[in-house]
Amino acid sequence: MSRSLKSVDVDPELYEEFKRLAKSYGMTNKDLFGAMIRYFKVTQADPRDPQAVNPTDAIKALDKRLIGFIREQEKKILRPLSDDVKVLITLMQEDLPRKIGQAHLRAIGNSIRPDLLSDRFKAGLAGPPKPPVPPADPNSPKKN
């Protein structure tokens, strides 16, 4: 099997740099040349316009985009959803017990799967908070 070899003309300084690069990767000149060809084919990078991407700058740009995305989601989805939930909790704790009665509200709550009930929902089923009973005044006369 005969092999046909080709040569590439380069300046001596560039050839020395190429040899150092091959050595730094632990490759032969032939292997490095082949790897470079495959790299440019796969990445479609333009060797005439080398751009070293600074990872710190890339992370900062991604961070800005991510924060912007989160803020937009908060504005369009989370805040309105939170406002709706607050209204529903208020209705459940204050308006519904007056309109349908606490017993009916408990029946509705008891029909919901227990694993879906949050502590806030359970508190709403219990009714509005009762005012605390003041401690007895030790100086007041005792009732029989």
Side-chain angles (χ1 to χ4, degrees):
M1 175 185 234
S2 69
R3 244 173 41 163
S4 170
L5 298 178
K6 304 289 180 185
S7 63
V8 178
D9 289 333
V10 294
D11 293 328
E13 299 86 26
L14 189 58
Y15 178 71
E16 290 303 316
E17 193 173 335
F18 182 80
K19 283 186 359 183
R20 280 192 298 275
L21 192 58
K23 186 176 179 182
S24 72
Y25 285 113
M27 303 170 82
T28 65
N29 291 351
K30 179 180 168 186
D31 291 339
L32 177 61
F33 188 78
M36 291 168 69
I37 298 297
R38 286 188 298 279
Y39 174 81
F40 288 120
K41 274 185 161 180
V42 170
T43 64
Q44 296 188 2
D46 186 351
R48 296 168 294 191
D49 184 25
Q51 296 177 352
V53 177
N54 183 347
T56 304
D57 292 341
I59 290 171
K60 285 179 183 176
L62 181 61
D63 189 45
K64 284 175 97 175
R65 287 178 37 210
L66 184 60
I67 288 172
F69 174 78
I70 291 170
R71 285 186 178 149
E72 194 65 23
Q73 295 300 305
E74 180 183 13
K75 184 172 39 175
K76 288 184 174 180
I77 296 172
L78 294 177
R79 284 187 185 157
L81 183 62
S82 175
D83 293 343
D84 292 346
V85 169
K86 287 175 187 174
V87 168
L88 288 173
I89 288 172
T90 301
L91 285 171
M92 189 179 79
Q93 288 179 335
E94 298 171 10
D95 295 343
L96 280 180
R98 283 183 285 196
K99 291 182 179 169
I100 66 170
Q102 192 67 33
H104 287 96
L105 189 57
R106 282 195 187 101
I108 293 169
N110 290 335
S111 68
I112 298 174
R113 287 187 3 219
D115 58 315
L116 297 178
L117 297 176
S118 68
D119 290 337
R120 290 176 78 175
F121 188 83
K122 291 175 189 173
L125 290 177
K130 295 179 176 133
V133 178
D137 185 9
N139 298 329
S140 67
K142 293 186 179 182
K143 296 179 185 176
N144 290 357

